[in-house]
């Protein structure tokens, strides 16, 4: 195991994931109506595009790993509190999913963005808070008012 490069392992997993998506997951679980005229609007387009990008990144990582002289260390140093932060991130995700029907996508995304920024101990907390507020509002304004796409609104607070 010490002679295998970390990039090669990650790239191999990415390639397997991309192949699973292309041959099993997307054909069996993504429904696409046959009357979609534009390819970009098809529900199949973006999953296949992401699977292709995952495959390309995986191939790049395998290629980089095979050319690298760096080897995996037998016992990589663990980051203190890493598993605790991972558990907190899982809690944030569960709260995000539970908060979507109540607060809506915009407000829940603001809270999740801010919580994640402070979880990873950002060096720029003011910028993170500004981005946590501005980015979801700008995305809402674009999709709801320019693109005409309905953004899920909550039961408690509604945006115009």
């Amino acid at each position: 195991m010490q002679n295998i490069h970390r990039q090669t392992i990650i790239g191999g997993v990415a390639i397997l994931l991309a192949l699973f998506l292309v041959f099993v997951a997307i054909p069996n679980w993504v429904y696409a109506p046959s009357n979609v005229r534009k390819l970009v609007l098809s529900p199949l387009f973006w999953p296949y595009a992401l699977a292709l990008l995952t495959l390309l990144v995986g191939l790049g990582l395998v290629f980089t790993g095979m050319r690298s002289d760096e080897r995996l260390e037998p016992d990589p140093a663990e980051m203190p509190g890493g598993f605790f932060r991972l558990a907190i991130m899982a809690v944030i995700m569960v709260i995000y999913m539970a908060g979507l029907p109540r607060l809506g996508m915009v407000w829940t995304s603001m809270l999740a963005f801010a919580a994640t920024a402070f979880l990873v101990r950002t060096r720029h907390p003011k910028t993170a808070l500004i981005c946590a507020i501005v980015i979801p509002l700008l995305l809402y304004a674009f999709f709801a008012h320019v693109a005409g796409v309905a953004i899920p609104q909550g039961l408690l607070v509604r945006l115009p």
Side-chain angles (χ1 to χ4, degrees), residues 83-99 108 111-112 115-116 119:
F83 287 112
F84 180 69
R85 281 196 299 274
L86 182 63
I88 296 297
M89 189 65 208
V91 169
I92 290 172
M93 288 184 213
V94 169
I95 291 172
Y96 181 81
M97 293 306 295
T108 310
L111 295 172
T116 303
L119 177 68

Side-chain angles (χ1 to χ4, degrees), residues 16-80:
L16 291 175
L17 176 66
L19 293 175
F20 172 75
L21 287 173
V22 168
F23 293 113
V24 178
I26 296 171
N28 290 324
W29 296 313
V30 177
Y31 171 75
S34 60
N35 62 351
V36 177
R37 292 186 181 136
K38 294 186 179 181
L39 176 66
V40 178
L41 297 177
S42 172
L44 293 174
F45 178 75
W46 290 111
Y48 277 121
L50 290 174
L52 177 64
L53 287 173
T54 303
L55 179 68
L56 291 175
V57 167
L59 289 171
L61 284 170
V62 168
F63 179 73
T64 303
M66 289 187 172
R67 291 182 44 119
S68 176
D69 291 334
E70 226 175 273
R71 303 286 178 189
L72 275 178
E73 297 295 321
D75 288 327
E78 286 191 26
M79 178 179 262

Side-chain angles (χ1 to χ4, degrees), residues 141-159:
F142 173 77
F143 281 106
H145 299 294
V146 177
V149 176
I151 302 297
Q153 296 285 325
L155 298 173
L156 303 176
V157 182
R158 294 204 169 263
L159 291 171

